[in-house]
Amino acid sequence: MKTSSRLLAISLAAAAVHLPLLAAEPAATSDAPLLFCIGVHVEPMGAQPSALVGENAGRMPPQPGPDYNRGPFFRRHVADLQALAAITGKHGGKMTVQVQTPFTSVCVKTGERILADFEKRGHEIALHFHEDAHLGRNGGALPVETWTAVMKEEIEIIKKAGATRVRYWSGGNLYPDVLKAAAAAGLDVMSDHKNPRVQRTFPELLNIHPWRPAGGPTAEDIAAFAKHDPAGKIVYLPDGIFTRTDFNSMRRTEFAGSEAKYFDFLADSLRASLKAARADRVNVFHITVHAGEFRGGPDAEQPFGVIDRWLTDAVDPLVKAGKVKWATFAEMADAFRAWEKKNPGVDPHATTAAAAVPASAGAEPPKGGTPTTFFAVHCEAGTANPVMWDALTRFVAMADRYSAKLTLMFNPQWAEFICPDKERFDRVKSWQKNGHEVAVHYHNIVHGDWNGHTNRQDERYTRDRRYRGTVPEMMASLQKLAAPDTMLTMCMGPDARWDSLNEVEIDEADYPDGIVYDVDGMDVGLTRLMKTKFKGRDLFHLKHHFFAPDRRAEHLDKIKEEFRRAKPGEVLGVVTHEADFARSPEFIEQWFQFCQENKADIKTVREIVRSYPPDKVVEVPCVRQEVGSPRKPEAIFAKVRRFQGALRAAKEKGLDTSAAEELDRKSREAARGGDHEEAGRLLDKATELLERSKKP
């Protein structure tokens, strides 16, 4: 089975997001094996709420459709489970089979001993608990004692069906006291969390290192559940590292009818998890299938052949190499407990990440002082949509795993997308509570993606179909997103002097009141904190490097070199977009990894400015941005974009671009010196050189 670039062209086509494949050689070794299992969910087909719930359980007469109380359907799934177990056994594998009534009660009634047989063959039998099926429509309002009693009832039926011990469960994902209920029922291991209302998990849970949740989950807040508490009674096993939070439900959407392509996606996820494996942690990964799923149809010549082939191609070689080791969920939890005993007081999440790689032994330390760093994320005016929101949540989750604090900069379209949706709004509040900053990204009138706001009353703008209102109206919308914090930081772009270290350029007519921290920049990110006077107030300014996967390949090396030559008191900023993360999270993660290896904390702009020594601040003049003047920012912006496009095209064809890049370097030097006419002339010459070189 090939795990090639064709996978991602299909897997994210619906979302219009393309993520490149990870490196073929994973980082895991036999010293840091990835414990792997196939989880099997048996659904509650034909279930009725427990009588323990009482009169309000909502019991109903038998309904049409799949029902384990119907003999043929039950026997078909028994045969399917046996076939799946045979395939797993052929590969030396293990399953954790999660069952519930009525499948289990029918096993008891008919004398079917499939669960006992599975247990004897080394598989684990566990509970799959659909609360709506067993507690009724109002399960979330029931006391924890009722949850415990019904869970115990389900466990006892599983044991009557042949299991000797039940430790693991999945389900009950939105009940805040589910951990208490499960522990009281004798359970101690959990996995497979998702929000069933949207069929997605939380990005914070996409990890490979188990932990003990500090509290239960809700639909709005996962913070306590994602936090490790060494005194917690339940061990949570994360699924692994996936590029989508809907990695389970997606097989029934864009992968419907394309089972092999879905397993290609799983192979990529397996490799990403291997890459994250650490010798000083327990590393886990599993896939989940359902009884009868991936069978290949009732007349398939080789039932479950796609699973057999996937295990042969993707898993067996890694098992043979010692990089993957089969284990049931209970065995994974026991491995974590053994790790805890050897590492008392160590947080399994500490200095680790969903794709964190151990610090490189040869990481070169900074030659100067370790600079203070910030990482700004620009959320564009035209990208406020569910796909990019999902990318942003995964971006923040990655930052959290590196203990990095982001400066999240929003155009007003994002405020209008987030604020009316309680789940999204609450998520932003949790980010702020965790130390991230919510700030302004203002695409003004000279930006190709103008966000529609200006104070100018020129009809060129007010009659433009994109026009949305004044700058104060924009700020009122954004302030709702930041509340109760006040927005103090902004990047307003583009400007004419991207990389000037001698002045701060301001579009005076449209610069919002209340902003006191300003950032911008393209190719220079290392500077001391600058201060200028604007409308009688102090305005503090920092630079950032634009950092994205489609820029020059050596650009990241240049940023690292700036880091290494930093002097005490200098600040290094980088900036990217949520769409850049969506295209290549592993590329963006390289900066997190580099900062971690070099012991550099990533702080917010607000935090950096407030803690900066006053005697180190550099005072610079404030220059008015003259829109439409000969300096014309929109023209310079267009020249830069044209050059970057020509450069990418030339590099893709393997052409020599050194002469053009030298002209680009001289152009940037001219711009930094204030000679924008010469900067534009050199950039035009560099672009023409590239475009001529493309011709035969």
Side-chain angles (χ1 to χ4, degrees), residues 199-447:
Q199 291 297 307
R200 293 175 179 268
T201 190
F202 287 87
E204 294 89 334
L205 305 186
L206 298 182
N207 207 317
I208 63 166
H209 308 307
W211 71 91
R212 295 179 181 272
T218 69
E220 296 80 21
D221 188 7
I222 202 71
F225 191 76
K227 182 180 179 181
H228 175 65
D229 178 1
K233 295 182 178 180
I234 304 299
V235 173
Y236 184 79
L237 306 173
D239 293 73
I241 298 169
F242 296 84
T243 57
R244 298 271 293 266
T245 57
D246 61 344
F247 57 90
N248 276 323
S249 63
M250 63 190 283
R251 60 189 171 206
R252 294 185 288 273
T253 55
E254 62 254 47
F255 285 120
S258 302
E259 294 176 346
K261 292 165 186 170
Y262 178 69
F263 276 85
D264 279 347
F265 170 80
L266 294 180
D268 280 337
S269 302
L270 173 61
R271 286 201 301 277
S273 300
L274 280 164
K275 185 179 178 182
R278 294 182 53 176
D280 61 348
R281 294 290 188 273
V282 174
N283 312 295
V284 301
F285 176 84
H286 70 268
I287 66 170
T288 300
V289 302
H290 296 78
E293 189 178 33
F294 304 120
R295 189 185 189 282
D299 300 320
E301 292 184 10
Q302 185 187 5
F304 307 104
V306 67
I307 297 177
D308 190 14
R309 291 188 294 274
W310 186 77
L311 292 175
T312 299
D313 295 341
V315 177
D316 288 352
L318 297 171
V319 172
K320 184 177 181 180
K323 296 176 180 179
V324 165
K325 181 180 178 181
W326 286 93
T328 65
F329 290 165
E331 289 170 341
M332 292 178 182
D334 289 341
F336 176 70
R337 289 189 176 89
W339 176 86
E340 286 181 302
K341 289 181 180 179
K342 293 179 180 178
N343 299 273
V346 177
D347 186 339
H349 290 158
T351 64
T352 185
V357 180
S360 302
E364 182 181 349
K367 296 175 182 176
T370 301
T372 301
T373 61
F374 70 89
F375 200 156
V377 183
H378 286 183
C379 297
E380 303 296 82
T383 60
N385 59 58
V387 171
M388 289 299 105
W389 168 254
D390 183 71
L392 183 63
T393 58
R394 289 186 286 113
F395 198 159
V396 177
M398 179 183 287
D400 286 342
R401 290 189 290 268
Y402 281 96
S403 300
K405 307 305 178 186
L406 299 175
T407 301
L408 302 168
M409 314 191 86
F410 295 96
N411 272 281
Q413 284 81 354
W414 279 84
E416 295 163 14
F417 173 73
I418 293 170
C419 290
D421 186 289
K422 186 178 186 303
E423 183 176 348
R424 293 181 189 133
F425 184 77
D426 289 345
R427 178 62 62 87
V428 173
K429 298 304 105 179
S430 71
W431 293 343
Q432 291 173 282
K433 186 177 180 181
N434 198 34
H436 302 288
E437 180 181 2
V438 173
V440 182
H441 185 38
Y442 177 23
H443 282 186
N444 64 0
I445 57 174
V446 298
H447 198 290

Side-chain angles (χ1 to χ4, degrees), residues 46-108:
Q48 291 284 359
S50 170
L52 297 174
V53 178
E55 296 180 357
N56 296 324
R59 296 177 69 87
M60 300 178 66
Q63 301 295 307
D67 188 336
Y68 285 123
N69 293 294
R70 299 187 176 100
F73 182 75
F74 172 76
R75 289 191 294 273
R76 192 189 87 190
H77 274 202
V78 167
D80 286 343
L81 289 170
Q82 289 170 334
L84 183 58
I87 289 172
T88 306
K90 183 178 76 170
H91 294 274
K94 296 183 178 182
M95 304 187 303
T96 293
V97 182
Q98 302 146 61
V99 293
Q100 59 193 311
T101 56
F103 182 87
T104 50
S105 56
V106 174
C107 283
V108 174

Side-chain angles (χ1 to χ4, degrees), residues 155-236:
I155 293 169
E156 286 305 311
I157 298 173
I158 294 172
K159 290 180 177 179
K160 288 179 181 179
T164 60
R165 189 180 182 190
V166 178
R167 296 176 53 190
Y168 169 92
W169 95 99
S170 53
N173 297 321
L174 302 184
Y175 186 57
D177 290 323
V178 68
L179 303 180
K180 295 178 183 178
L187 300 166
D188 63 356
V189 189
M190 181 191 183
S191 188
D192 289 353
H193 180 280
K194 69 177 179 182
N195 182 342
R197 298 174 187 170
V198 294
Q199 291 297 307
R200 293 175 179 268
T201 190
F202 287 87
E204 294 89 334
L205 305 186
L206 298 182
N207 207 317
I208 63 166
H209 308 307
W211 71 91
R212 295 179 181 272
T218 69
E220 296 80 21
D221 188 7
I222 202 71
F225 191 76
K227 182 180 179 181
H228 175 65
D229 178 1
K233 295 182 178 180
I234 304 299
V235 173
Y236 184 79

Side-chain angles (χ1 to χ4, degrees), residues 123-175:
H123 304 298
E124 178 184 10
I125 307 304
L127 170 64
H128 186 41
F129 190 72
H130 275 225
E131 61 267 38
D132 54 341
H134 307 301
L135 294 165
R137 294 186 294 268
N138 200 31
L142 295 174
V144 66
E145 293 80 9
T146 303
W147 276 68
T148 297
V150 175
M151 281 182 152
K152 282 184 174 180
E153 181 181 53
E154 287 290 319
I155 293 169
E156 286 305 311
I157 298 173
I158 294 172
K159 290 180 177 179
K160 288 179 181 179
T164 60
R165 189 180 182 190
V166 178
R167 296 176 53 190
Y168 169 92
W169 95 99
S170 53
N173 297 321
L174 302 184
Y175 186 57

Side-chain angles (χ1 to χ4, degrees), residues 556-679:
L556 178 58
D557 292 334
K558 177 182 175 182
I559 299 175
K560 290 179 179 179
E561 182 56 36
E562 279 204 350
F563 179 98
R564 293 187 179 104
R565 63 178 172 80
K567 299 175 183 177
E570 290 186 317
V571 179
L572 180 62
V574 298
V575 61
T576 194
H577 303 87
E578 81 295 335
D580 295 316
F581 179 88
R583 284 201 300 276
S584 184
E586 62 272 19
F587 181 87
I588 300 301
E589 188 172 22
Q590 291 180 59
W591 183 245
F592 287 126
Q593 292 171 346
F594 178 81
C595 289
Q596 184 184 78
E597 290 169 359
N598 288 280
K599 298 179 173 57
D601 293 334
I602 298 176
K603 302 178 180 180
T604 65
V605 171
R606 181 185 304 210
E607 183 182 3
I608 289 172
V609 176
R610 287 180 171 178
S611 62
Y612 198 88
D615 61 326
K616 301 293 184 182
V617 177
V618 178
E619 294 196 23
V620 297
C622 179
V623 177
R624 184 176 184 273
Q625 184 184 92
E626 300 177 29
V627 176
S629 75
R631 292 171 62 197
K632 205 173 182 181
E634 60 265 41
I636 293 177
F637 189 70
K639 289 176 187 288
V640 171
R641 290 299 190 197
R642 182 184 168 202
F643 170 77
Q644 293 295 341
L647 183 65
R648 281 196 299 273
K651 282 183 174 292
E652 287 172 0
K653 294 187 176 183
L655 301 174
D656 182 5
T657 60
S658 57
E661 290 185 87
E662 176 61 19
L663 288 169
D664 174 45
R665 184 189 65 77
K666 292 180 179 179
S667 171
R668 284 183 276 118
E669 286 182 354
R672 283 194 290 273
D675 190 346
H676 291 274
E677 183 176 346
E678 176 66 5

